[in-house]
Amino acid sequence: GTNDAISLSWFLIGALIGKKRPALAGVALALALSFKIVLAIPLLALSALVLRTEGWAGWRRRWTGAAVLAVTVLPYLAAAPKAFVDEALLFNLNRGSFRFPVLGIGLPALAPGVFHGPLLAVVVLIGAVGALVVPVVVVWRRPTLPVALVAGGLGMLGMFIPASNFRPPYLVLVATLVAGGWLGSTSIGAFVHDRPVDPAT
């Protein structure tokens, strides 16, 4: 779980300092995604927040994220495109040369006699919609940092629950981002966004 903790730390840093230090936030978010590609789900929710509150200019100010990913990914892709696709993309979809065993607390492990074949495919599709679409819609309707973190964290469950390798430590990813919603709504969030601190919090 070490990479989970590191990736989540970078993600929360990038989310919390985004308005005051957008270039540094971009670097932090790129590092988070490099450690754990599943953080693309909460990144979508965060992207919706940035677009809703700052427009496209908000993401342009975070250009360093795309730059860091390009500098670290493109040489690997150019040197070994087949290995890159297998190890960086298909691996995370459990479709590469290495396949994760069916274990953990995902539906295929908990009820293998039920969740397989077409039924599992439908559940995976529903989960993907829940993971990729619902957090964005929620954040678009209520564009605040706490909502983005909580929605992004819970959204990952849509990918995890139908997964064949959903191990209990992955709940750290969800729990930390949900708790990150508290960070964004307290005096820490007020500090990084130049808001007055509410004594009640």
Side-chain angles (χ1 to χ4, degrees), residues 14 17 46 50 64 70 76 87 101 110 119 132-133 146 149 157 164 170-171 182 188 191 199:
I17 69 172
L46 189 61
V50 172
T64 49
Y76 179 18
E87 296 173 10
L110 294 177
L119 177 60
L132 301 173
V133 176
L149 292 173
L157 290 175
S164 61
Y170 291 175
L171 289 172
W182 171 82
I188 296 174
F191 170 75

Side-chain angles (χ1 to χ4, degrees), residues 12-160:
L12 287 175
I13 289 169
L16 289 169
I17 69 172
K19 283 191 177 180
K20 287 186 74 173
R21 300 285 185 271
L24 189 58
V27 173
L29 293 171
L31 290 172
L33 202 60
S34 296
F35 272 98
K36 214 72 172 174
I37 199 169
V38 74
L39 288 177
I41 295 170
L43 184 61
L44 282 176
L46 189 61
S47 298
L49 174 65
V50 172
L51 288 175
R52 190 81 163 83
T53 58
E54 303 177 45
W56 286 106
W59 269 124
R60 285 197 295 272
R61 287 192 289 270
R62 293 162 175 83
W63 64 272
T64 49
V68 167
L69 288 176
V71 166
T72 55
V73 168
L74 292 179
Y76 179 18
L77 177 60
K82 185 177 179 182
F84 175 83
V85 170
D86 184 61
E87 296 173 10
L89 300 180
L90 296 179
F91 171 81
N92 286 287
L93 296 171
N94 203 23
R95 292 291 180 267
S97 56
F98 171 81
R99 296 292 181 95
F100 299 111
V102 178
L103 53 82
I105 57 175
L107 293 178
L110 294 177
V114 177
F115 292 100
H116 60 86
L119 177 60
L120 180 59
V122 170
V123 173
V124 167
L125 181 61
I126 293 171
V129 170
L132 301 173
V133 176
V134 173
V136 171
V137 172
V138 169
V139 172
W140 201 259
R141 293 174 64 112
R142 191 168 179 192
T144 67
L145 181 59
V147 169
L149 292 173
V150 172
L154 293 176
M156 284 194 290
L157 290 175
M159 289 294 188
F160 285 151

